[in-house]
Amino acid sequence: MPAALKRRGVLFAALAIGVVVLIFGSVQTTLALWTAQADGPTSNITTGTIGLAPGSGGGSSFTFPALNGTNMLPGQSSQAVLTIANTGSTPLLFHLASAGPVVSTPGASVSIKLSGSQTPTCPGAAVPLSDAFTATNAINTLTDIDGTVVPLGVDASTTWCIRAELVSVSGQTPATFTINFIFKADQDRP
């Protein structure tokens, strides 16, 4: 066998060994980056519960009876204080995620302007409400709300004044409706 072929064979063999070494080296390095071991605490780990209770309800969905509409005329409004309590075992952050009217009169459609403030009492109807969530028009359905995120400690509560103003009614009149609210709550982690 000529010397040039021998050198070429030795060169290919050396190259193949180098490639194999690089492959195994990179696999070991990758495994080292993805594997770790540590001892955990010797004490018990406990979890908490999240519980939000708007009004006398529980859970994230709430129909506010004080804002039900019957025989209202456009421009009229109703407002009431809503107490929201943390019934869980951990602090939480919550906000109003969506709200809107549910019409029970067949063939009727309503547009409602919803607004709210974090206050223990409701002011006069001419005073704007805005710091609990941005005033929003909702027509016949739940509408996304730009709600302020509010922290709420364990066993704590807050009060909001919520106003529902009837903007318009179409179809069958007078229309009867309720207002549904959907709240979103998350654990408040340090």
Side-chain angles (χ1 to χ4, degrees), residues 51-54 57-63 95-98 180-185:
L52 186 68
S60 64
S61 181
F62 177 67
T63 300
H95 69 277
L96 181 60
S98 58
N180 285 351
F181 296 91
I182 304 293
F183 291 89
K184 184 176 186 309

Side-chain angles (χ1 to χ4, degrees), residues 26-55:
S26 68
V27 167
Q28 289 299 322
T29 303
T30 303
L31 286 176
L33 291 175
W34 290 10
T35 59
Q37 183 175 351
D39 293 331
T42 57
S43 61
N44 293 333
I45 297 173
T46 58
T47 61
T49 59
I50 294 178
L52 186 68

Side-chain angles (χ1 to χ4, degrees), residues 141-152:
T141 187
L142 289 173
T143 301
D144 289 342
I145 301 284
D146 184 18
T148 303
V149 175
V150 178
L152 201 55

Side-chain angles (χ1 to χ4, degrees), residues 101-103 108-112 138-141 166 168-170 175-177:
V102 176
V103 180
S109 177
V110 299
S111 175
I112 304 291
I139 302 171
N140 285 355
T141 187
L166 181 61
S168 65
V169 180
S170 60
T176 301
F177 58 89

Side-chain angles (χ1 to χ4, degrees), residues 1-10:
M1 181 184 265
L5 280 176
K6 274 187 175 183
R7 271 189 253 142
R8 189 180 286 167
V10 171

Side-chain angles (χ1 to χ4, degrees), residues 74-173:
Q76 289 182 319
S77 64
S78 59
Q79 62 184 14
V81 172
L82 175 64
T83 301
I84 304 165
N86 180 349
T87 59
S89 63
T90 186
L92 57 82
L93 299 169
F94 81 94
H95 69 277
L96 181 60
S98 58
V102 176
V103 180
S104 57
T105 304
S109 177
V110 299
S111 175
I112 304 291
K113 179 181 178 185
L114 296 170
S115 56
S117 283
Q118 299 176 52
T119 180
T121 59
C122 286
V127 177
L129 303 176
S130 64
D131 66 342
F133 57 92
T134 303
T136 304
N137 281 343
I139 302 171
N140 285 355
T141 187
L142 289 173
T143 301
D144 289 342
I145 301 284
D146 184 18
T148 303
V149 175
V150 178
L152 201 55
V154 176
D155 295 326
S157 64
T158 185
T159 53
W160 288 6
C161 175
I162 298 180
R163 181 179 299 145
E165 178 184 344
L166 181 61
V167 176
S168 65
V169 180
S170 60
Q172 184 65 37
T173 58

